[in-house]
Amino acid sequence: MSDLESFRAETRVWLEANCPPEMRKPVRDEADVYWGGRNATFKNDAQKAWFEVCRDKGYTVPEWPKEYGGAGLSPAEGKVLRQEMARIGARPPLSSFGIWMLGPALLHFGTEGQKKRFLNEIAAGEIRWCQGYSEPGSGSDLVSMQTFGEDKGDHWVVNGQKIWTSYADEADWIFCLVRTDKQNKYQGITFMLFDMAGDGVSTKPIKLISGNSPFCETFFDDVEVPKSYGEDCPGYVGEINRGWDVAKYLLGHEREMISGAGGGDRTAAIGAALKRNAGEIDPVLRAELAQFDVDALAYSAMGEKFLDELKVGKAHPAQPNMMKYAGTELNKRRHELMMAAGGSRALEWESEETGGGKGARNWLRTKANSIEGGTSEVMLNVISKRILDLPGA
Amino acid sequence: MPLYYDDDQAMLAETAQQFMAEEGAIAKQLRHWRDRDCKDGFGHGLWKQFAEMGFTGMLVDEDDGGLGMGHVEAGIVLENIGRNLTPSPFLSSSVLAVTALKHGSDDVRGRWLPGLIEGEKVYSVAIDEGAKHRPETIACKAEKSGNGFRLSGKKDFVVYGASSEMIVVAARTSGDDSDSDGITLFAVPQDADGMSHDSVRLVDSSMASHVAFDGVELDGDAVIGEVDGGREVLNAMLMAGRVGASAEGVGVAQGAMDMTVDYLKQRKQFGKLIGEFQALQHRAAHLYSEVEIARAVTIKAAQLLDGGSEKADLMASVAKAKVAKAAGLAVKEGVQMHGGIGMTDEYDIGLYMKRDRALQEFLGDQYYHAGRVAEMSGY
């Protein structure tokens, strides 16, 4: 038996013994997901047990090194673990922007001191992070940002406003892009890390068309951000005024994540399931579904190819933009078709049968897919410029 | 298996790309034969070169004198054929006919494979019996006659049929027209009495026949595989052909896109390179993503086919449908973005549009295959 095969066998046994049956059901709503943090509570004992056993084994971040709270798995082992978890429908033990976004940036740009402290906190679900990028006047155009940090020697004093800060009202710390040099458009931004419990930080939820409020406006009013949290642990990532490099690296990760390349069902074929739920399907809708399923199945092959190439460094660095563009456009189409197949029942906003209008709310939520993390238009700009090398793009 | 080429495949890709760009180039092959009104529609000299390169018998088992390669490798050759619009009987002979012949007896394989591997012979397949691809229905009849069979009926869209030394014919030996069982495949030689071709040039300058079988007497050894059990072989042949046609389509799409992107970087209007206009940039970037996705699913389908997966049939249809959408977009955008010059015969972009049209129709268009995807998925 190869090492990988024996790892698979061990993993199966371990999952069988440790993943509670309640944690093998599809995630239905927010409460099914554990986000960690200072104020986190578990929905039930199974969620707590599953999180703790994964944390102790390093399986909240399986591919991170052991000294930073991971399990030190190789990419191939990580893939096996994901496959085996998917096989039994296991829920992720912990979801967090720390895992998806800040973690990869720290692994790449962080100092040893930052990694030891912050990565371990993230892996153990102790600190919940949020992201401060967009501002009211600068969405996809991040270089126009205005939030300013005035240099006061050993700290900055930050003033300004961020928007679309996901779950800022529940987050403990923020990784935040702050202008530190007004003269230089690109090289005047610093990637800062700070505690949101400090003076001068306030948040306000934004209610969306789906009726939910995953996003906030976040205000900074003379917030003091230390330049250092102790030996070898700066209060910023990378270099001062070079936060753009970190942000670009991280946006690549975000786009990968939003594109659904890492898993999830947003690109799955849907025709068969809709037929089961909706009964007879209008022939023209059936044709649309078939065309969608062709695109969805083809896209999932693309996702597989992209991840395979990413692992061995064969993917074009701008490829995540293509995955994000195509994946989010597909997801919007998918929810349009699901609404069409659901008919008047799918419109019910509050009925018990629709789980409180879950389908309708999801449909509305998907409209943001091609806006958040860089709009589809911005993705197309990046493809034009960096892959097709078109002039002046 | 990862979804990219391994080292051997990458090397083959490099070789095939260089060979086809030089020897299979549009001016040297497609335009050359078209402008001479060549009745074959392709060059036998190039076919011989294909043999020297090891392409003709790449899917043939090593025991039968071939290279024993798979559909990923055949796809590599086909993508480069597509990119250069190289007219050749590779898809019909080396992919479709070979896939059928692999199911034949020692005698059948011994009779037909060597000539093909050497690039001496060209074969084609006769499946369709109407303007649209509907292989579920086979009306062409082969009745028992002495030790052999008597073949009657008509076939359409037999690509390079009149130039072929042998045609693989799917005929009915029992049951009703739309029965799944009761199909038998035959290797019908060119000189068979009672077979006639009405050979016509298609929009892409390739040649295809309407073939009529008027009581063609066939020996028992013309049978490929089992009598009445040909549906399985036919399906294998169709899958191989669809995956191959998808790979060629990816090449057509890539070739058209490359030409177009290149043009966007050179053509000036209103004092600017037209590639600077965001309206065109976004369409080009969208096209790029469609072509990449089409390529990914084509390689996936080829890998599944090589691995003998049950999902190969579904993914072959997904690939054929997706490639048709992507390549269709590539050629239409190509002609549009080239503007007036795109409508001229002198410019190659129009040739891509014609080839794409023919390729889309071959072995089922996107509507047929999307319909199959729905059926196989249970709706």
Side-chain angles (χ1 to χ4, degrees):
Chain A
M1 204 188 288
S2 77
D3 287 353
L4 217 52
E5 282 166 26
S6 55
F7 176 74
R8 187 183 295 278
E10 281 165 33
T11 303
R12 274 191 194 189
V13 172
W14 186 85
L15 284 172
E16 209 41 62
N18 290 288
C19 186
E22 299 95 316
M23 293 294 107
R24 302 184 192 188
K25 291 176 186 154
V27 172
R28 278 164 323 177
D29 59 49
E30 275 297 291
D32 287 343
V33 180
Y34 182 63
W35 287 85
R38 288 175 194 145
N39 305 315
T41 51
F42 292 100
K43 188 192 178 191
N44 51 42
D45 291 346
Q47 194 183 53
K48 182 168 189 279
W50 178 226
F51 166 72
E52 285 174 352
V53 75
C54 284
R55 176 196 61 198
D56 294 347
K57 198 159 169 77
Y59 278 2
T60 56
V61 284
E63 290 177 42
W64 290 8
K66 283 185 178 167
E67 63 266 39
Y68 308 140
L73 299 190
S74 68
E77 288 168 334
K79 187 173 177 181
V80 167
L81 177 63
R82 281 194 299 280
Q83 286 169 343
E84 289 305 315
M85 285 182 63
R87 199 175 57 83
I88 62 166
R91 289 179 185 172
L94 175 67
S95 293
S96 91
F97 296 117
I99 294 175
W100 299 323
M101 301 167 80
L102 180 60
L106 284 175
L107 282 167
H108 195 81
F109 295 97
T111 64
E112 192 55 33
Q114 284 177 321
K115 290 181 191 175
K116 281 248 158 63
R117 170 172 172 183
F118 297 123
L119 292 179
N120 274 299
E121 285 176 354
I122 290 167
E126 288 163 4
I127 296 294
R128 184 168 174 177
W129 287 86
C130 68
Q131 177 205 61
Y133 279 17
S134 298
E135 297 184 8
S138 54
S140 295
D141 172 25
L142 281 176
V143 291
S144 67
M145 65 176 51
Q146 299 294 318
T147 295
F148 184 64
E150 195 184 349
D151 195 332
K152 297 281 187 183
D154 65 343
H155 67 278
W156 290 284
V157 171
V158 175
N159 281 285
Q161 180 192 348
K162 293 287 174 182
I163 196 165
W164 310 123
T165 32
S166 310
Y167 305 111
D169 50 344
E170 295 176 52
D172 307 311
W173 278 58
I174 187 167
F175 47 98
C176 191
L177 290 176
V178 178
R179 183 162 295 289
T180 38
D181 178 353
K182 287 182 178 170
Q183 307 308 314
N184 194 327
K185 206 162 71 136
Y186 289 91
Q187 306 198 343
I189 292 170
T190 302
F191 192 102
M192 296 184 188
L193 310 174
F194 56 93
D195 195 325
M196 295 179 74
D199 289 341
V201 182
S202 58
T203 63
K204 194 173 112 195
I206 304 168
K207 193 169 177 183
L208 299 183
I209 48 178
S210 63
N212 299 334
S213 303
F215 298 111
C216 293
E217 290 180 282
T218 302
F219 303 91
F220 307 124
D221 186 12
D222 286 336
V223 177
E224 284 193 19
V225 177
K227 286 190 182 169
S228 170
Y229 293 111
E231 198 186 338
D232 196 30
C233 191
Y236 52 94
V237 182
E239 292 172 44
I240 290 172
N241 289 337
R242 297 299 299 263
W244 187 235
D245 299 340
V246 186
K248 264 199 308 193
Y249 178 83
L250 216 151
L251 277 169
H253 271 272
E254 184 181 21
R255 283 164 193 170
E256 241 171 272
M257 187 183 86
I258 293 175
S259 76
D265 66 348
R266 69 170 72 225
T267 58
I270 51 173
L274 289 187
K275 161 103 188 227
R276 272 197 304 279
N277 296 337
E280 272 313 292
I281 292 180
D282 178 280
V284 180
L285 176 58
R286 175 185 182 267
E288 291 262 347
L289 286 171
Q291 296 276 10
F292 172 84
D293 281 352
V294 164
D295 289 332
L297 290 164
Y299 181 79
S300 65
M302 182 69 227
E304 203 182 316
K305 180 165 180 276
F306 169 62
L307 285 182
D308 287 342
E309 290 183 338
L310 203 62
K311 280 187 196 123
V312 291
K314 280 178 190 257
H316 190 288
Q319 195 81 331
N321 298 279
M322 187 280 257
M323 294 302 296
K324 200 262 176 189
Y325 165 68
T328 55
E329 294 297 330
L330 207 54
N331 200 39
K332 287 196 295 180
R333 232 171 102 198
R334 166 189 162 91
H335 283 268
E336 286 291 340
L337 288 167
M338 284 163 68
M339 287 301 286
S344 62
R345 181 56 52 88
L347 305 175
E348 293 180 8
W349 193 244
E350 283 165 345
S351 70
E352 202 167 312
E353 211 163 320
T354 62
K358 184 156 190 286
R361 288 170 203 269
N362 285 344
W363 162 65
L364 290 163
R365 174 66 185 82
T366 60
K367 298 301 173 194
N369 291 168
S370 50
I371 301 170
E372 60 203 341
T375 62
S376 284
E377 288 71 20
V378 166
M379 296 304 112
L380 294 172
N381 285 347
V382 176
I383 296 168
S384 301
K385 180 179 178 179
R386 296 187 53 204
I387 299 180
L388 299 179
D389 196 26
L390 287 173
Chain B
M1 200 184 300
L3 269 181
Y4 49 78
Y5 296 148
D6 64 27
D7 290 347
D8 289 343
Q9 290 164 341
M11 211 190 314
L12 172 66
E14 206 173 302
T15 308
Q17 189 169 352
Q18 198 183 348
F19 172 81
M20 221 61 76
E22 283 168 14
E23 301 303 326
I26 294 176
K28 204 166 180 175
Q29 297 293 338
L30 178 62
R31 285 187 181 278
H32 177 85
W33 299 114
R34 183 196 72 164
D35 294 349
R36 277 156 193 75
D37 203 22
C38 167
K39 292 299 172 212
D40 280 325
F42 67 92
H44 289 273
L46 183 72
W47 189 233
K48 195 78 190 158
Q49 283 178 286
F50 268 43
E52 285 156 17
M53 296 295 291
F55 296 160
T56 49
M58 63 196 301
L59 284 176
V60 175
D61 293 343
E62 285 175 274
D63 288 348
D64 288 325
L67 295 177
M69 289 180 168
H71 294 278
V72 173
E73 286 83 2
I76 288 169
V77 172
L78 279 160
E79 184 176 335
N80 288 292
I81 285 175
R83 204 178 279 207
N84 296 284
L85 305 180
T86 311
S88 98
F90 182 82
L91 182 55
S92 59
S93 299
S94 299
V95 177
L96 282 148
V98 163
T99 302
L101 288 170
K102 278 180 154 186
H103 293 82
S105 63
D106 290 351
D107 287 348
V108 166
R109 299 198 318 281
R111 176 169 178 194
W112 297 110
L113 288 174
L116 173 116
I117 294 168
E118 286 153 23
E120 302 289 347
K121 291 181 176 167
V122 168
Y123 307 143
S124 53
V125 295
I127 300 163
D128 294 355
E129 299 181 355
K132 298 301 281 187
H133 179 67
R134 294 285 178 269
E136 297 77 16
T137 305
I138 302 264
C140 216
K141 265 196 170 46
E143 290 162 310
K144 279 252 185 228
S145 162
N147 289 333
F149 293 85
R150 205 176 141 79
L151 182 62
S152 313
K154 284 182 177 156
K155 292 281 184 181
D156 290 308
F157 205 9
V158 181
V159 176
Y160 300 129
S163 311
S164 297
E165 275 79 4
M166 181 274 282
I167 302 177
V168 177
V169 180
R172 177 157 299 287
T173 37
S174 67
D176 295 329
D177 291 2
S178 51
D179 282 355
S180 180
D181 296 335
I183 302 294
T184 306
L185 296 191
F186 296 94
V188 181
Q190 188 182 42
D191 54 8
D193 282 341
M195 177 167 73
S196 59
H197 290 272
D198 176 12
S199 187
V200 289
R201 191 172 300 282
L202 304 183
V203 68
D204 64 338
S205 300
S206 69
M207 300 299 292
S209 298
H210 299 282
V211 185
F213 305 99
D214 186 11
V216 175
E217 298 286 349
L218 296 171
D219 293 341
D221 63 10
V223 172
I224 302 174
E226 302 293 319
V227 173
D228 284 350
R231 182 65 74 175
E232 208 179 314
V233 187
L234 175 60
N235 287 344
M237 190 164 86
L238 289 173
M239 263 193 282
R242 286 162 183 166
V243 171
S246 299
E248 185 173 344
V250 169
V252 171
Q254 185 73 48
M257 183 172 79
D258 287 348
M259 264 193 90
T260 306
V261 170
D262 201 41
Y263 189 72
L264 294 178
K265 293 174 187 173
Q266 290 174 21
R267 170 73 171 167
K268 281 192 170 176
Q269 287 277 263
F270 309 107
K272 274 182 165 181
L273 290 168
I274 60 172
E276 292 181 53
F277 296 119
Q278 201 176 47
L280 299 189
Q281 289 177 350
H282 282 191
R283 279 162 51 191
H286 171 70
L287 172 58
Y288 163 80
S289 87
E290 289 295 289
V291 173
E292 283 297 297
I293 293 168
R295 175 181 287 109
V297 71
T298 300
I299 299 174
K300 178 80 190 170
Q303 279 190 0
L304 290 173
L305 191 55
D306 285 334
S309 165
E310 280 175 16
K311 287 187 190 155
D313 197 17
L314 173 70
M315 211 47 85
S317 274
V318 173
K320 188 74 169 70
K322 183 68 198 184
V323 170
K325 290 171 92 169
L329 183 70
V331 298
K332 280 178 280 197
E333 288 288 53
V335 170
Q336 177 66 21
M337 291 195 200
H338 273 81
I341 205 168
M343 294 304 296
T344 64
D345 181 70
E346 187 193 335
Y347 246 67
D348 289 342
I349 191 71
L351 301 176
Y352 282 91
M353 185 150 71
K354 296 181 192 180
R355 180 62 190 142
D356 169 60
R357 187 62 250 156
L359 208 47
Q360 284 200 35
E361 218 54 50
F362 188 60
L363 302 178
D365 64 9
Q366 57 167 309
Y367 309 106
Y368 173 80
H369 285 291
R372 267 192 110 227
V373 168
E375 261 163 46
M376 282 189 269
S377 309
Y379 68 97

